[in-house]
Amino acid sequence: MAHSEDEFKEVVSVEPPIHDKHDDIFSDPTSATEEKTTTGQNLFTTQKLFQTGSKPASFLDRASITSKLPHPSILSSRLSNTKSIASSNRASFLPILEALGSDADNSYRDSQLKRAQHENVKRKQSVLSEMREKQSIVVDNIKVQRVDFKHPKEPYLLAVVLVVSGLASGYENAAFSEVKKMMTSQFELGELWTKALSESFNICAAMGSLLAGFSTDTVGRKICVIFSSLQFIIGGYIMGTASGPVAVLIGRFFYGFGTGIASAVVPAYIAECSPSGIRGFLVTFFQLSITTGVFLAHVVSVSVFDYGETEWRWLISLPAFFGIAQLVFLTAFPDSPRYKVMMNDSLAADLILKDLRQIPDTSRELSEIERSVSVNRPVHGCKVIKEIAVTPHVRKAVLTGCLLVVLQQFCGINAVIFWISHTLRNAGFNLGNVNFGLLSAACNMLATVPAFWMVERNGRKPTLVMSYVCMCLALLMISTSFSLSEYDSVATSPSFETVDVKKLGFCTNYTTCYNCVRDISCGFCSINVDGEAVEGSCVPAESKDFASVGRCMDNSTFKSKYEIIFKFSLCPSQYSILSVMAIFVFLLAYGPGAGPMTLLLCSEMTPQWARGFSVGLTSTLNWVLHGVVLYIFDRMGEDQPGMVFLGFACVCFVAATLTAIFVHETRGISLEDTELLFMPRKLRKLIVMRRQVEVEKLVEAKTKKRRMI
């Protein structure tokens, strides 16, 4: 049976070997030259035989032709390794195929071609695997991938798109604190409405994080992020068009809900799509986006304050545009490959991994993910809580993540950032709120940048421990500055006032400026002489700018003779600069350590089936404690600021100690192996050996399936 030229083209083009920069490993110039010579001679002999024969090619003796040719298996092997020879001699093979035209020989030839092709690809993959193995080391029976930033651009682009949620979250939270005064004056809000608008964000963020923890393993990471973007869009529209406090409150609900979902899903989403060597680098982008959003809010608010009270609508609705941008660009990226494996869609997971890694074969990584999912079948809803409770090493990992969040919140970061101007006033440093807020936001953003280098070079654990140590020292400096300011405080005396002492009331009981301004009913009145406060007295306060009696009244005649100064909540002190230095040291220490490392470790420590709920739980705890810490500092900060910051310093010391003891280093370890860190060492060794056998079986099964196809 004769074969046409089109059939021949189909045969010789069956799965050609993949050619890339590693092909030089498999090429042998000497053997290639010998094969070229031998094959060329055989082809020339066969062609000459056909040209000189008196019979048509289809009637020639098969034995006389095949005796001049190499064995079909040898010929197919040579064709696979030397594509150029096959392409240049296509016409010469036509009479050969016509002579060998039986169905049996054709089937045998195709099988040999496929087998040779498979062996060639397998050999190439083996060498590539050996090259990857040289980039990894084994520490305590766990493979650790070395840092290598020469990865395809796809994981980086995906991380940039996902962290837009963090940009919107940080921006909205900081922008609202800037426009709250504008909003209060326009809508005439009382104290109850102001507190409701402030606290609603944290409550809804906690609810969103908890919901994301239960739903992310059901609907997928990508769907959750899309839902978060929609929350920002809806919230921005409602806030921008709000006609009263009720609409503002509803807009805050949507903003908080979207922020909670993003904080629970995005870190895990990035971690599951990133190679082990740069996973920490990419997850740190989320923390940087939050600090960048805070900085951007302060920058925009400076310009908005110059226009008028109605311009706050543009400032507060800007996160809606962030949500639109993320919604558009996210459609070009896939879901997490590990989520696809959990949904029994290994084919889609394989395609996603190949797209993210930009390599032809991802069977080993996919096999490790499939093995992890097959050993621990996915559980959803409330069942995952029961599974975590009865699994010792997973329970330990989840509790470690919760401990890290508690330590992060009680280290004092929120108290320093959101009450920084008030803290400096109590320490005796007078500076505008907006300008100093912008400066502190810029410092916090720039302090996060070194985390990109430290997370993969120094590791998570050493960076976190060093961060807490430096934060502890900075908080001790802040506490010391309050003590020194109290010791150096200007003395007060009612004798400097021209009114009856009885009119001064109980304010006369305070003998220093520091004690006077701690009482919200009193203020410090003095005369400024060459930059120094003299003849100070503690008088009843009518407002933050004037006293109700005495020299510092609004219509006092003393103002025409002397430079009268009234201080409601600050006292002049020569130790003010110490507070400023300590606060910036604290921000510089928090930026690369306690901020991004806590977020990263919480998204790495648990196995695939528990990661969604675990990250959602830690995020929920983070938002709940966020409000608790602010409430505590609001109640105690004015009365005992020095003692409060001393307590934060003690927490940082305890945090450094507990981190050094209980937290494990996850740098370079695959997400499928991080749970091994929380197992006993003997059990870990046995499980690693069993995993290796299971992965080899999965790879072998896929190889057989590929051969059959």
Side-chain angles (χ1 to χ4, degrees), residues 362-414:
T362 57
S363 58
R364 180 162 294 275
E365 182 177 2
L366 182 62
S367 299
E368 291 179 356
I369 299 173
E370 290 176 341
R371 181 217 45 83
S372 177
V373 174
S374 63
V375 172
N376 304 293
R377 295 307 303 171
V379 289
H380 306 290
C382 296
K383 293 182 180 179
V384 70
I385 302 177
K386 180 180 178 181
E387 291 295 328
I388 291 175
V390 299
T391 309
H393 68 279
V394 179
R395 182 176 66 246
K396 183 179 178 182
V398 173
L399 292 178
T400 302
C402 294
L403 176 63
L404 288 175
V405 171
V406 172
L407 296 175
Q408 181 201 44
Q409 287 298 320
F410 281 93
C411 71
I413 179 60
N414 292 317

Side-chain angles (χ1 to χ4, degrees), residues 670-684:
S670 67
L671 292 178
E672 285 67 42
D673 289 339
T674 51
E675 62 176 312
L676 298 174
L677 298 171
F678 297 91
M679 297 180 181
R681 183 167 299 181
K682 293 183 179 179
L683 179 61
R684 182 190 309 168

Side-chain angles (χ1 to χ4, degrees), residues 527-534 563 565 572-573:
I527 299 176
N528 185 18
V529 178
D530 297 332
E532 294 185 5
V534 297
E563 185 180 355
I565 300 176
S573 174

Side-chain angles (χ1 to χ4, degrees), residues 525-596:
C525 182
S526 64
I527 299 176
N528 185 18
V529 178
D530 297 332
E532 294 185 5
V534 297
E535 298 183 4
S537 60
C538 187
V539 295
E542 181 179 357
S543 65
K544 294 183 178 181
D545 299 319
F546 306 105
S548 59
V549 296
R551 299 172 295 173
C552 291
M553 293 176 61
D554 186 16
N555 55 356
S556 174
T557 59
F558 275 83
K559 292 184 178 180
S560 60
K561 299 179 181 180
Y562 305 99
E563 185 180 355
I564 301 297
I565 300 176
F566 180 76
K567 302 296 183 182
F568 178 73
S569 59
L570 75 90
C571 290
S573 174
Q574 61 180 344
Y575 299 104
S576 300
I577 190 63
L578 181 62
S579 297
V580 179
M581 294 174 57
I583 286 175
F584 279 104
V585 170
F586 180 89
L587 294 177
L588 291 173
Y590 178 86

Side-chain angles (χ1 to χ4, degrees), residues 129 132-133 143 361-375 670 672-673 676 686-704 706:
S129 178
R132 288 193 296 265
E133 291 293 332
K143 186 184 298 184
D361 178 61
T362 57
S363 58
R364 180 162 294 275
E365 182 177 2
L366 182 62
S367 299
E368 291 179 356
I369 299 173
E370 290 176 341
R371 181 217 45 83
S372 177
V373 174
S374 63
V375 172
S670 67
E672 285 67 42
D673 289 339
L676 298 174
L686 294 175
I687 292 179
V688 168
M689 295 174 61
R690 187 184 66 182
R691 283 186 175 184
Q692 292 176 352
V693 175
E694 291 175 351
V695 170
E696 292 297 334
K697 288 182 178 179
L698 286 173
V699 173
E700 184 178 355
K702 289 183 179 180
T703 303
K704 291 181 179 179
R706 201 178 288 119

Side-chain angles (χ1 to χ4, degrees), residues 287-360:
Q287 180 67 22
L288 179 64
S289 68
I290 296 175
T291 57
T292 304
V294 175
F295 173 73
L296 183 62
H298 286 284
V299 172
V300 176
S301 66
V302 171
S303 59
V304 170
F305 270 114
D306 297 334
Y307 289 99
E309 294 184 354
T310 59
E311 301 299 330
W312 62 266
R313 298 179 183 275
W314 289 102
L315 174 63
I316 205 66
S317 61
L318 190 59
F321 297 96
F322 296 150
I324 294 174
Q326 186 180 51
L327 198 62
V328 171
F329 288 106
L330 190 60
T331 56
F333 292 93
D335 208 329
S336 167
R338 288 171 169 82
Y339 167 74
K340 291 296 184 180
V341 174
M342 291 179 63
M343 297 294 105
N344 297 321
D345 193 356
S346 298
L347 180 59
D350 188 30
L351 295 175
I352 294 172
L353 285 174
K354 289 179 179 178
D355 184 44
L356 293 174
R357 306 293 185 263
Q358 291 295 303
I359 56 177

Side-chain angles (χ1 to χ4, degrees), residues 9-29:
K9 291 180 180 179
E10 183 180 358
V11 171
V12 297
S13 62
V14 173
E15 297 182 359
I18 301 170
H19 178 75
D20 58 15
K21 60 183 180 180
H22 300 291
D23 278 349
D24 55 340
I25 301 174
F26 309 101
S27 61
D28 186 355

